[in-house]
Amino acid sequence: MTEELSGSIAWGGGLIAIALAATFARQAGLIDGDTVTRIVMTATGLMVAWYGNRMTKTFAPSDLARGVTRVGGWSMALSGLIYAGLWAFASFEVALWLGCGAILAGIAVTVGYCLSLRSKAETA
């Protein structure tokens, strides 16, 4: 099993375990439903940040591909950390709107960089 696949399986299993543990804690009366949501969404943001960090370390066959993985990895890592931080500390409405906006901004940065490379290649 490759390192990438085992890491992905670990994150998937970890998120399920976190959600189940938080649900059981809620049913036991230790935490409320809002805390369960915050725990799971924060863990999801950390997962996005982890994948962004992994992106920068993957093999890319050319300089342009390395640039795309570097920009995409950094933008997703930062947007995942912002998402996790918002779900951990901000109000629900702020976390929802700004958190989703941070993820969309990370995707937009990556797509914008790819489109700028494409336009530079077409003009050259």
Side-chain angles (χ1 to χ4, degrees):
M1 188 179 300
T2 66
E3 181 182 338
E4 186 73 28
L5 182 60
S6 61
S8 299
I9 290 172
W11 266 106
L15 279 177
I16 291 170
I18 288 170
L20 287 174
T23 300
F24 289 138
R26 182 178 149 270
Q27 290 173 347
L30 301 172
I31 58 176
D32 62 350
D34 291 346
T35 306
V36 172
T37 302
R38 287 184 181 280
I39 290 170
V40 173
M41 297 306 277
T42 300
T44 302
L46 293 175
M47 180 188 67
V48 170
W50 182 80
Y51 274 109
N53 186 42
R54 290 290 308 144
M55 243 176 104
T56 62
K57 295 169 177 62
T58 58
F59 173 75
S62 70
D63 288 338
L64 292 176
R66 279 190 289 280
V68 169
T69 58
R70 190 171 43 253
V71 169
W74 272 101
S75 67
M76 292 312 295
L78 291 174
S79 64
L81 289 174
I82 292 168
Y83 184 86
L86 286 169
W87 276 104
F89 300 113
S91 68
F92 261 64
E93 283 191 25
V94 171
L96 177 66
W97 290 105
L98 292 183
C100 291
I103 297 293
L104 289 174
I107 293 169
V109 165
T110 305
V111 170
Y113 184 72
C114 291
L115 292 176
S116 73
L117 287 179
R118 182 178 179 184
S119 67
K120 286 178 187 176
E122 288 175 354
T123 58

